[in-house]
Amino acid sequence: MKACPKCKSDNIDTRNTAQKVGAVIGTTAGFTAGALGARVGATVGLIAGPFGSAAGAIIGGIAGGSLGAALGESIDENVLDNCMCLSCGHTFTLNTNHK
């Protein structure tokens, strides 16, 4: 059970800032790369027209968003103070010594 190291309250929330930012950046990058790759494929004749472009963009966006969220989650858990006490406002991480 999580508890605030400052006031010992168990009224804790996780902020997941890097996970949210990573998901947005990854989705945008994946969507763009998927759309560009599908357009090149459609031009060469490997993928059927606009349907190929749309499918490539969607798959790229999903894959990029998942990868970005996973990277962000790792940053949240190991680098940032991801937990916030809703009672006293103290921020801290569970993976290292509390500040």
Side-chain angles (χ1 to χ4, degrees), residues 9-37:
S9 170
D10 62 354
N11 193 12
I12 304 298
D13 191 20
T14 53
R15 300 177 335 158
N16 298 328
T17 304
Q19 184 177 7
K20 293 171 187 170
V21 171
V24 169
I25 291 171
T27 299
T28 303
F31 178 80
T32 302
L36 292 174

Side-chain angles (χ1 to χ4, degrees), residues 2-10 12 83-94 97-99:
K2 300 180 214 175
C4 176
K6 185 174 180 183
C7 73
K8 308 301 182 214
S9 170
D10 62 354
I12 304 298
C83 297
M84 181 171 140
C85 177
L86 299 176
S87 297
C88 72
H90 182 67
T91 58
F92 59 97
T93 185
L94 293 176
N97 294 331
H98 300 299
K99 292 182 178 179

Side-chain angles (χ1 to χ4, degrees), residues 20-90:
K20 293 171 187 170
V21 171
V24 169
I25 291 171
T27 299
T28 303
F31 178 80
T32 302
L36 292 174
R39 288 202 184 272
V40 169
T43 301
V44 175
L46 299 175
I47 299 175
F51 296 112
S53 297
I58 291 168
I59 291 169
I62 291 170
S66 296
L67 183 61
L71 178 61
E73 181 179 11
S74 178
I75 292 170
D76 280 333
E77 290 177 359
N78 298 299
V79 178
L80 301 178
D81 288 342
N82 194 40
C83 297
M84 181 171 140
C85 177
L86 299 176
S87 297
C88 72
H90 182 67

